[in-house]
Amino acid sequence: MTEVTSATQASPSLVNSRTGLADNFEMFLTLLTEQMKNQDPLNPLDSTQFVNQLVDFSSVEQQIAQNQNLESLLILQSAAAQANSVGYIGRVAMADTPMAYMENGSANWEYILPDDAESVTLVVKQGERIVARSTGEVTAGTHEFEWDGKGESGADLEEGVYTLDVIATNADGESITAEIRASGRVTGIDMSGSEVIVQMGNISVPLSSILAVRQAGSGDIEDNPYLEPTE
């Protein structure tokens, strides 16, 4: 069953920022008015100082307007991200996560090595418990790993969420950090928090971790438009 949960509102930080500027604006206006009312008629406020204060007055007013416009843009951007993410439901998404759901005796990951390795060990965990190990590819680049759902004893394990660790070292014995990705069908979208959460079965990941989506049963990949491009 698909699920969409939403709550669109201005962030507390933006509200507090706007309130602070408004308070400063009101205070500035009050002080300027009192200064003009109580100035010495024989020694009035210097015109240059008065103009500078008016400029400051205008600057505060502009800051309030800019803050309001920025808040509106952020709300619109968030709404666009939410609307876009709803279209992911029913599709298969690839996410930057080590978690994958094993079902029907299979779980799939991708791992990316930045450099050639001397040795690579793929460790499958359920929670903190190691359930399977395998030898991985050692060349730099993207590699696929399909786990058959069997434990180290050869017995079939229960369906559920499993985590992949990639232990890679180079010829000098130094560790190599690998990127790990997993794919799953998007079953729901949670928009109740400050960031959109994409639900892939029993796995929940932030929208920012979604790298690509495709139609179920299709090889066509669509890049996530809310992902910062990498060089």
Side-chain angles (χ1 to χ4, degrees):
M1 182 180 71
T2 59
E3 178 183 354
V4 177
T5 305
S6 176
T8 303
Q9 58 183 3
S11 68
S13 61
L14 287 174
V15 173
N16 292 337
S17 176
R18 183 174 62 183
T19 301
L21 281 174
D23 291 342
N24 291 336
F25 178 81
E26 294 295 336
M27 181 179 295
F28 183 87
L29 179 60
T30 300
L31 290 173
L32 181 62
T33 302
E34 290 300 319
Q35 182 180 12
M36 295 179 63
K37 287 168 56 179
N38 295 286
Q39 64 179 328
D40 185 354
L42 299 179
N43 185 26
L45 181 67
D46 181 76
S47 60
T48 301
Q49 294 180 3
F50 183 71
V51 169
N52 289 337
Q53 291 181 353
L54 289 178
V55 170
D56 292 339
F57 178 88
S58 178
S59 297
V60 173
E61 187 177 21
Q62 289 177 6
Q63 288 178 21
I64 294 175
Q66 290 173 356
N67 194 72
Q68 291 174 333
N69 291 336
L70 177 60
E71 181 178 347
S72 298
L73 288 174
L74 290 174
I75 292 175
L76 289 173
Q77 184 180 38
S78 176
Q82 292 176 0
N84 181 77
S85 62
V86 170
Y88 292 173
I89 295 177
R91 298 185 178 186
V92 175
M94 176 181 291
D96 185 9
T97 176
M99 297 182 296
Y101 192 81
M102 190 272 286
E103 59 182 343
N104 300 322
S106 178
N108 296 274
W109 290 271
E110 283 187 359
Y111 64 95
I112 304 173
L113 295 175
D115 303 296
D116 290 342
E118 182 71 15
S119 66
V120 174
T121 301
L122 307 177
V123 180
V124 180
K125 294 181 178 180
Q126 187 177 42
E128 296 298 321
R129 181 171 63 95
I130 295 176
V131 298
R133 290 183 177 87
S134 180
T135 301
E137 299 290 335
V138 298
T139 56
T142 302
H143 306 283
E144 295 183 357
F145 172 55
E146 181 177 357
W147 177 48
D148 60 7
K150 297 182 182 296
E152 294 185 293
S153 65
D156 293 331
L157 300 180
E158 63 182 4
E159 295 185 351
V161 177
Y162 292 84
T163 302
L164 177 68
D165 282 349
V166 177
I167 303 174
T169 57
N170 60 21
D172 296 325
E174 299 172 335
S175 296
I176 298 175
T177 301
E179 296 181 31
I180 305 174
R181 302 170 176 177
S183 299
R185 184 186 295 273
V186 178
T187 56
I189 302 294
D190 183 356
M191 297 180 284
S192 60
S194 59
E195 183 173 6
V196 177
I197 300 298
V198 178
Q199 298 168 340
M200 300 188 300
N202 291 0
I203 299 171
S204 298
V205 297
L207 177 63
S208 58
S209 73
I210 300 297
L211 304 175
V213 293
R214 62 178 172 83
Q215 296 285 359
S218 168
D220 295 333
I221 298 293
E222 301 175 12
D223 290 335
N224 179 1
Y226 295 95
L227 179 70
E228 290 293 332
T230 55
E231 296 182 357

